[in-house]
Amino acid sequence: MRYEDFERLAREDWERIPDHFKTGVDGLVLERKARAHPSLPDIYTLGECLTESYPSDFGGPDTIRSFVVLYYGSFDRLSRLDQDFDWEGEIWETLTHELQHHLESLAADEALVDMDYAVDEGFKRREGEPFDPSYYRAGEDLGDGWYRVEDELYCERDVRDGDRIEFDLDDRTYRITLPPDRGDVSFLEVVDGLPDDAPPVHVVAVRRRRLLERIAAAWKGEARRIVEAEVEAETVRWHDGAS
């Protein structure tokens, strides 16, 4: 897509958004350049919400001002990597995503910032880069050790002894077997045994070190050992009313 067409679509979408969602936003800025991730290949920032707070005893649209920025070059680079890249859909999604950043700044809500952090750390893990092993906790907390990061589910479970973990998902209880090679934190991607329409599920098996182990590890400067593996799930039982 040419820059001129990109600009026209972005401006039209911007005008479609009701004004009350843009309170405190000083405008839409379109940059021709791409904004690449500093360390991960083929990862580009499509847009940003640049927010500045002015000194005040209270927050609000008069003290928190933002610009929404879209990077045409990033859209163009990603479109070359994905032949099914949806320019119109991605422009709209990026605009509304960045506006949500501004609205959450007004409400002092850091949920979206946390989600972006979780997504970024998840990219690092998949690319073999150093990452925060508890990144998924910055996603949406679903309760009972479950977290959602975009369309992926993470199930955190403590392990000490034994080689199996059970977890509930929708109308069933599943069981996985831990691999022989285990770390202090094991990311176990469930690749088989779930319904076809189930979201990606990662079981995070965390081995809690005993106090003396933690002291010894800290004394030696040892980092937690992280292991990644693929596992299969088996159905243990159906919940009441399911068949």
Side-chain angles (χ1 to χ4, degrees):
M1 179 181 289
R2 299 180 308 165
Y3 174 79
E4 292 74 17
D5 295 326
F6 172 83
E7 180 179 28
R8 175 180 54 80
L9 285 172
R11 299 291 182 194
E12 289 176 355
D13 280 350
W14 182 255
E15 293 303 318
R16 287 171 52 199
I17 299 173
D19 288 340
H20 65 273
F21 288 116
K22 297 183 284 189
T23 301
V25 179
D26 292 325
L28 172 65
V29 177
L30 303 178
E31 293 278 0
R32 289 180 179 268
K33 65 184 180 181
R35 186 170 177 81
H37 192 282
S39 62
L40 300 178
D42 297 334
I43 301 300
Y44 294 91
T45 296
L46 296 180
E48 288 185 297
C49 180
L50 304 180
T51 300
E52 185 173 0
S53 298
Y54 296 90
S56 175
D57 292 334
F58 59 92
D62 294 330
T63 62
I64 298 177
R65 311 298 296 184
S66 300
F67 282 97
V68 171
V69 183
L70 298 187
Y71 296 96
Y72 166 74
S74 294
F75 283 82
D76 184 58
R77 297 284 179 84
L78 290 179
S79 72
R80 298 175 190 274
L81 295 171
D82 180 5
Q83 63 179 0
D84 296 323
F85 186 79
D86 180 5
W87 280 84
E88 294 185 16
E90 292 292 344
I91 290 172
W92 176 255
E93 182 176 342
T94 304
L95 279 176
T96 54
H97 178 90
E98 300 309 329
L99 273 177
Q100 188 176 347
H101 271 300
H102 174 74
L103 296 173
E104 291 182 343
S105 294
L106 296 181
D109 186 350
E110 296 297 322
L112 192 58
V113 175
D114 290 344
M115 182 64 75
D116 282 351
Y117 173 79
V119 171
D120 196 47
E121 292 297 304
F123 274 125
K124 291 180 182 179
R125 180 176 69 84
R126 285 187 287 273
E127 294 295 325
E129 299 279 344
F131 68 96
D132 175 2
S134 61
Y135 70 86
Y136 54 89
R137 293 183 183 174
E140 180 185 359
D141 187 347
L142 303 177
D144 193 29
W146 284 90
Y147 301 85
R148 183 187 299 277
V149 178
E150 289 197 319
D151 63 340
E152 297 184 324
L153 295 178
Y154 292 78
C155 177
E156 180 184 287
R157 292 293 183 263
D158 291 351
V159 292
R160 283 192 179 273
D161 302 310
D163 60 357
R164 294 181 177 181
I165 290 177
E166 292 187 0
F167 62 90
D168 293 335
L169 181 64
D170 294 331
D171 54 5
R172 308 182 204 180
T173 296
Y174 296 93
R175 176 186 295 147
I176 65 168
T177 300
L178 298 173
D181 182 25
R182 307 174 196 173
D184 296 306
V185 181
S186 299
F187 284 86
L188 309 175
E189 181 180 2
V190 182
V191 296
D192 196 15
L194 300 180
D196 292 338
D197 59 351
V201 173
H202 306 269
V203 176
V204 185
V206 181
R207 186 178 73 87
R208 305 294 181 186
R209 291 179 174 180
R210 295 177 174 83
L211 178 59
L212 291 179
E213 290 180 306
R214 294 201 302 270
I215 293 173
W219 179 262
K220 297 176 183 177
E222 295 177 350
R224 287 189 295 176
R225 182 168 176 266
I226 300 172
V227 170
E228 298 185 54
E230 295 181 347
V231 296
E232 297 182 5
E234 60 174 319
T235 300
V236 177
R237 56 186 172 273
W238 294 81
H239 296 180
D240 291 343
S243 60

